[in-house]
Amino acid sequence: MSNDAKPILRAVELTKQYPTVLALDHVSYEIFPGQVVCVVGPSGSGKSTFIRCLNLMDEPTGGQVWFKDQQINAPGVDINRVRQHIGMVFQHFNLFPHLTVRKNITLAPTLLKLKTQEEADATADKLLERVGLREKADAFPGQLAGGQKQRIAIVRALAMDPQVLLFDEPTSALDPEMVGEVLQVMKGLAKAGMTMAVVTHEMGFAREVANHVLFMDHGRLVEENPPQEFFGHPQSPRLKEFLSKVL
């Protein structure tokens, strides 16, 4: 990443107020092309709200979200157009149960007329090959194990050729032995230069793959650093306490 690179995603003073909870408290952060940013913190710290506000899955109540040079939470912005460039992978896969794996992957690119059915099918096959699931193209989600579903969900996001991928706790709904196969795919994406923001409990992944790790607590960004600093020399008492419990 060169020093003159511009951020691809930028949060400015992001706030999210629910009736009884301030879920995000003036969070500002910039993500640059090719970076892998991991967001960690205790339950209820605002991590998922933060990541979901970056593509307006949750509407911030204050502040701005920028994708490149466009403020995407400004009035009149077609967020669905923007979301074509910002892929999202959820904790619970969110696959359509009545559609085959291939149809799940090709639905959005063909509906949005970004690809012909033929092109979308070819992309789907290539991506399925990449995650080791080519033989599952005609299966239905109900026939797959959790780790396979999550790999399909990642492929579905990749089929849109996104410029950024957001992950909201992608392994927390999986059995421990399936976590590795999903993290392996994510490591491959990082190696290939995909820009990613990942909410995760997997500290080993954050340490090994992230360029930056963010620690959130009570809706605030408490500390952020490259992994070596973050894990090796935590500054705030709250992060020290958190790491003492999870490492």
Side-chain angles (χ1 to χ4, degrees):
M1 189 187 79
S2 62
N3 295 337
D4 56 0
K6 281 182 161 173
I8 191 165
L9 265 184
R10 187 155 57 98
V12 183
E13 296 287 312
L14 218 49
T15 305
K16 177 67 176 176
Q17 177 74 60
Y18 290 105
T20 56
V21 175
L22 181 59
L24 286 183
D25 187 359
H26 297 87
V27 175
S28 296
Y29 195 73
E30 296 181 333
I31 297 170
F32 290 85
Q35 275 193 334
V36 178
V37 173
C38 283
V39 188
V40 305
S43 290
S45 60
K47 324 182 282 292
S48 288
T49 305
F50 173 58
I51 224 94
R52 291 170 65 90
C53 280
L54 292 181
N55 70 351
L56 304 197
M57 287 275 169
D58 283 351
E59 279 280 347
T61 34
Q64 303 169 346
V65 184
W66 292 76
F67 173 68
K68 297 187 161 177
D69 296 322
Q70 182 181 29
Q71 186 191 338
I72 65 174
N73 64 329
V77 171
D78 180 354
I79 187 59
N80 290 323
R81 270 199 113 87
V82 178
R83 282 194 192 127
Q84 292 176 18
H85 308 293
I86 306 174
M88 182 96 186
V89 178
F90 301 90
Q91 185 175 353
H92 293 291
F93 331 125
N94 291 21
L95 298 172
F96 295 111
H98 61 292
L99 299 179
T100 63
V101 162
R102 185 185 277 112
K103 210 60 188 142
N104 262 288
I105 296 165
T106 61
L107 185 65
T110 52
L111 265 184
L112 295 166
K113 302 199 169 12
L114 301 175
K115 292 179 177 158
T116 65
Q117 188 65 53
E118 243 169 320
E119 289 166 340
D121 283 341
T123 300
D125 286 343
K126 198 163 79 196
L127 289 169
L128 284 169
E129 187 80 55
R130 187 169 161 186
V131 300
L133 290 172
R134 178 77 188 267
E135 78 290 353
K136 298 292 184 189
D138 299 314
F140 288 89
Q143 301 168 300
L144 305 175
Q148 294 174 324
K149 286 182 198 170
Q150 195 58 294
R151 283 185 280 162
I152 299 300
I154 293 172
V155 164
R156 180 179 58 181
L158 288 173
M160 294 289 290
D161 300 321
Q163 296 175 40
V164 188
L165 269 186
L166 307 176
F167 292 83
D168 186 9
E169 302 199 11
T171 59
S172 61
L174 301 177
D175 292 336
E177 67 233 46
M178 292 175 183
V179 169
E181 62 195 49
V182 172
L183 293 181
Q184 216 40 56
V185 170
M186 292 169 67
K187 284 175 190 173
L189 292 174
K191 243 191 204 106
M194 173 60 78
T195 309
M196 306 197 293
V198 185
V199 173
T200 186
H201 296 291
E202 300 293 333
M203 297 299 148
F205 176 81
R207 191 184 288 229
E208 186 187 337
V209 181
N211 305 98
H212 277 266
V213 189
L214 280 56
F215 174 65
M216 293 187 67
D217 193 33
H218 293 301
R220 288 197 171 145
L221 176 50
V222 177
E223 195 166 324
E224 68 92 15
N225 254 320
Q228 221 172 338
E229 276 299 296
F230 184 92
F231 291 105
H233 308 285
Q235 304 299 304
S236 66
R238 184 65 190 94
L239 177 55
K240 286 177 185 166
E241 182 197 359
F242 175 77
L243 291 176
S244 75
K245 289 175 180 165
V246 298
L247 290 180

